[in-house]
Amino acid sequence: MGIIKKIFNKSRSPEDGIFFEEMRKILGFNPVELSHYRKGFTHRSSNKTDENGNPINYERLEFLGDAMLGSVIAAHLFKEVPTGDEGYLTKMRSKIVSREHLNELGRDLNLIKWVESKVSAQHFGENIHGNLFEAFVGAIYLDRGFTYCEKFINKKVIVPYVDIPKLEGKVISYKSLVIEWCQKEKKQFHYDVFEDNGNEDVKHFGVRLKIDGKIVAKARATSKKKAEEKASQRAYFAFQEKINKK
Amino acid sequence: MGIIKKIFNKSRSPEDGIFFEEMRKILGFNPVELSHYRKGFTHRSSNKTDENGNPINYERLEFLGDAMLGSVIAAHLFKEVPTGDEGYLTKMRSKIVSREHLNELGRDLNLIKWVESKVSAQHFGENIHGNLFEAFVGAIYLDRGFTYCEKFINKKVIVPYVDIPKLEGKVISYKSLVIEWCQKEKKQFHYDVFEDNGNEDVKHFGVRLKIDGKIVAKARATSKKKAEEKASQRAYFAFQEKINKK
């Protein structure tokens, strides 16, 4: 495998080498056939066709990715919520794969950066982010199969975004829970930005939550608000664990 | 693996042994954890619960199986019809996984035979066949994972039922095409039943199509009509191949 990888790397053009590296970063594993991902970024306006005259763009891949997302999320919810009936599972899945959520996922990965198109970015509209995300998942399926799709969706969708109590509407915001608790317990709290590259292409913020001067949680996200929420959630779960252990 | 299998077989009760064998026949491969399939046949009327009080029945498995069916069929159509756009693929998939079609699939496998229930079969309604089929696919996913789901769906759904020209509405009936051709070419045709166990639990018919006294195709199916149609389709494709080779 090592040798094959080396040969493979040698035969790759410098441009492909960069694309390979960037895809690897997003995927968390090696892509094999780069053409699937390139197709996943080809907007219909580029009017590309294959040797048989079939259009090359990411729209068919959206269909495939949407199906893979649906089944990976279904399997996750099925295992995670043994008490949820069919109606509950269906409702929760549609919350997770909502248009709004898919747009957020695509935007956070900055997939639009790679789009090949003949129209300028402002004509795309908001849904392009979600469409690119679906197409990207479709490309992963073609390239590496279902297991890698599952791996990717787990890392990029389930772990960072699928928070069941929140989706159930039981918890609106972990930040508000933390603030409420601090006020009740007469504790000082402070959200502190320790990393900020908001001017770069891929925005990135680090926030830590201090309670009575002690750092209780840290988190990174693509906005200050999200990083605060993530840090609050971590603090909340850490507290829950402590309480449960008592 | 051989040894594990033997141990496994020895520790199985006679009742489980029969269930294992019957499941193996339907699946086309070995089941591992029989409890998934048993759950897949447990109707809500049996009022079973697990140790935590969660109901045990096949309704949650329907949700899982539906998702797996959707993604396996999506992947098949994506690869099989490179000219089909997103709208086409979506439409074709809904034809394949239509309620009517799922009922037909469940009925053909006679899944209802295994249902554990406290109400009698006549109260179930037609949709139980499709529901059992979906739940069965869900059980396969839990027991053996996505690849085996794909194997099963390929063997039991795609190969025998997914006929793209027919689904597209381009071909209504292969039998009518064959008859038309025979009349045009002044050839004698005859559909001949060579197998008939229509009185048994799982109905089964064998039909051969003779043209000018020569057998050109044979097929088996759960009704005479279906077997005739299948034989006609085989004859049609065989003729197409001959024409293409000329």
Side-chain angles (χ1 to χ4, degrees):
Chain A
M1 186 65 193
I3 295 165
I4 294 171
K5 221 171 116 185
K6 273 182 206 163
I7 297 169
F8 205 70
N9 269 318
K10 268 188 191 165
S11 64
R12 212 178 278 136
S13 71
E15 194 204 353
D16 274 357
I18 295 166
F19 189 65
F20 176 91
E21 272 310 316
E22 295 282 340
M23 290 303 104
R24 201 177 57 80
K25 272 187 216 159
I26 301 176
L27 292 165
F29 46 80
N30 285 348
V32 174
E33 184 52 57
L34 291 178
S35 65
H36 296 305
Y37 303 95
R38 292 214 187 272
K39 191 186 266 184
F41 293 122
T42 306
H43 190 257
R44 67 179 308 155
S45 67
S46 56
N47 289 323
K48 280 194 179 177
T49 52
D50 65 13
E51 62 277 19
N52 300 316
N54 297 324
I56 298 180
N57 62 56
Y58 61 71
E59 292 177 14
R60 278 163 50 85
L61 283 170
E62 285 176 50
F63 168 77
L64 192 59
D66 168 76
M68 295 304 151
L69 258 171
S71 57
V72 171
I73 301 294
H76 173 75
L77 287 171
F78 184 93
K79 290 172 189 171
E80 204 62 23
V81 196
T83 54
D85 65 13
E86 228 191 324
Y88 169 93
L89 296 170
T90 307
K91 206 172 91 188
M92 290 293 275
R93 182 173 56 175
S94 30
K95 282 190 186 182
I96 296 168
V97 297
S98 70
R99 184 45 48 193
E100 196 191 346
H101 195 193
L102 294 181
N103 285 338
E104 193 186 340
L105 289 164
R107 213 183 304 109
D108 283 357
L109 294 175
N110 201 16
L111 296 177
I112 205 165
K113 179 182 166 188
W114 299 100
V115 168
E116 197 183 321
S117 147
K118 283 197 176 148
V119 293
S120 66
Q122 66 256 42
H123 291 100
F124 287 146
E126 189 57 11
N127 286 347
I128 193 169
H129 299 291
N131 294 343
L132 287 171
F133 186 79
E134 287 180 329
F136 194 71
V137 172
I140 298 171
Y141 176 77
L142 290 184
D143 187 34
R144 307 287 321 253
F146 187 78
T147 316
Y148 280 82
C149 259
E150 228 175 354
K151 245 185 223 182
F152 175 79
I153 294 168
N154 195 51
K155 202 176 151 195
K156 300 288 178 173
V157 184
I158 293 173
V159 171
Y161 291 96
V162 176
D163 177 5
I164 288 165
K166 204 163 173 178
L167 286 167
E168 280 176 345
K170 286 182 189 156
V171 177
I172 302 303
S173 145
Y174 285 100
K175 192 180 169 185
S176 67
L177 284 182
V178 166
I179 294 174
E180 209 175 279
W181 182 83
C182 289
Q183 286 167 341
K184 208 181 99 199
E185 303 285 327
K186 313 264 183 258
K187 291 187 186 287
Q188 296 291 322
F189 65 90
H190 181 66
Y191 289 91
D192 183 19
V193 177
F194 68 92
E195 241 178 64
D196 180 345
N197 65 354
N199 296 323
E200 284 177 33
D201 241 15
V202 185
K203 285 188 176 58
H204 187 89
F205 298 90
V207 163
R208 60 189 154 216
L209 165 59
K210 288 184 188 174
I211 294 183
D212 280 350
K214 209 184 123 197
I215 298 167
V216 292
K218 279 200 243 180
R220 288 180 177 83
T222 50
S223 78
K224 281 180 202 170
K225 205 180 147 199
K226 276 187 205 166
E228 282 181 3
E229 183 58 20
K230 238 189 212 174
S232 307
Q233 188 184 337
R234 284 180 184 160
Y236 179 82
F237 284 127
F239 287 155
Q240 291 286 91
E241 221 165 278
K242 266 192 198 166
I243 293 165
N244 288 337
K245 273 186 191 157
K246 273 179 193 168
Chain B
M1 187 64 195
I3 296 165
I4 295 171
K5 221 172 115 186
K6 272 181 208 162
I7 297 168
F8 205 69
N9 270 316
K10 269 187 192 166
S11 63
R12 212 178 278 135
S13 72
E15 193 205 352
D16 274 357
I18 294 167
F19 189 65
F20 176 91
E21 272 310 315
E22 294 282 340
M23 290 302 106
R24 202 178 56 81
K25 272 187 215 159
I26 301 176
L27 292 165
F29 46 81
N30 284 349
V32 174
E33 185 51 57
L34 290 179
S35 65
H36 296 306
Y37 303 95
R38 292 215 188 272
K39 190 185 266 182
F41 293 122
T42 307
H43 191 257
R44 68 179 306 154
S45 67
S46 55
N47 290 324
K48 281 195 177 175
T49 52
D50 65 14
E51 63 277 18
N52 300 315
N54 297 323
I56 298 180
N57 61 56
Y58 60 71
E59 292 177 14
R60 278 164 50 84
L61 282 171
E62 284 176 51
F63 168 76
L64 193 59
D66 169 76
M68 295 304 152
L69 258 172
S71 58
V72 172
I73 301 293
H76 173 76
L77 287 172
F78 185 93
K79 289 171 189 170
E80 204 61 24
V81 197
T83 54
D85 64 15
E86 229 190 324
Y88 169 93
L89 296 169
T90 307
K91 206 171 91 189
M92 291 292 276
R93 182 173 56 176
S94 31
K95 282 189 184 182
I96 297 168
V97 297
S98 71
R99 183 44 49 193
E100 197 193 346
H101 195 193
L102 294 181
N103 284 339
E104 193 186 340
L105 289 164
R107 214 183 304 108
D108 283 357
L109 294 174
N110 201 17
L111 296 177
I112 205 165
K113 179 180 165 190
W114 300 99
V115 167
E116 197 183 322
S117 147
K118 281 195 177 146
V119 294
S120 65
Q122 65 257 40
H123 290 101
F124 287 146
E126 190 56 11
N127 287 347
I128 193 169
H129 299 291
N131 295 343
L132 288 171
F133 186 80
E134 287 179 330
F136 194 72
V137 172
I140 298 171
Y141 176 78
L142 289 184
D143 187 34
R144 307 288 320 256
F146 187 79
T147 314
Y148 280 82
C149 258
E150 229 176 353
K151 246 185 223 186
F152 175 79
I153 295 168
N154 195 52
K155 202 177 153 194
K156 299 289 177 174
V157 185
I158 293 172
V159 171
Y161 291 95
V162 177
D163 176 3
I164 288 166
K166 206 164 173 177
L167 285 167
E168 281 177 345
K170 286 182 190 156
V171 177
I172 303 302
S173 143
Y174 285 99
K175 191 180 169 186
S176 65
L177 284 181
V178 166
I179 294 175
E180 209 175 279
W181 181 83
C182 288
Q183 287 168 339
K184 210 181 98 199
E185 302 285 325
K186 316 263 183 255
K187 290 186 188 288
Q188 297 290 324
F189 66 90
H190 182 66
Y191 290 91
D192 183 18
V193 178
F194 68 93
E195 241 177 64
D196 180 344
N197 64 355
N199 296 324
E200 285 177 32
D201 240 18
V202 185
K203 286 188 178 57
H204 185 90
F205 300 89
V207 162
R208 60 189 153 216
L209 166 59
K210 287 184 187 173
I211 294 183
D212 279 350
K214 211 186 122 195
I215 298 167
V216 293
K218 279 200 242 181
R220 286 181 177 82
T222 52
S223 78
K224 280 181 203 168
K225 205 181 147 198
K226 276 187 204 164
E228 283 181 2
E229 182 59 19
K230 238 190 212 173
S232 307
Q233 188 184 337
R234 282 179 184 161
Y236 179 81
F237 285 126
F239 287 155
Q240 290 285 93
E241 221 165 278
K242 264 193 198 167
I243 293 165
N244 289 335
K245 272 186 190 159
K246 271 178 194 167

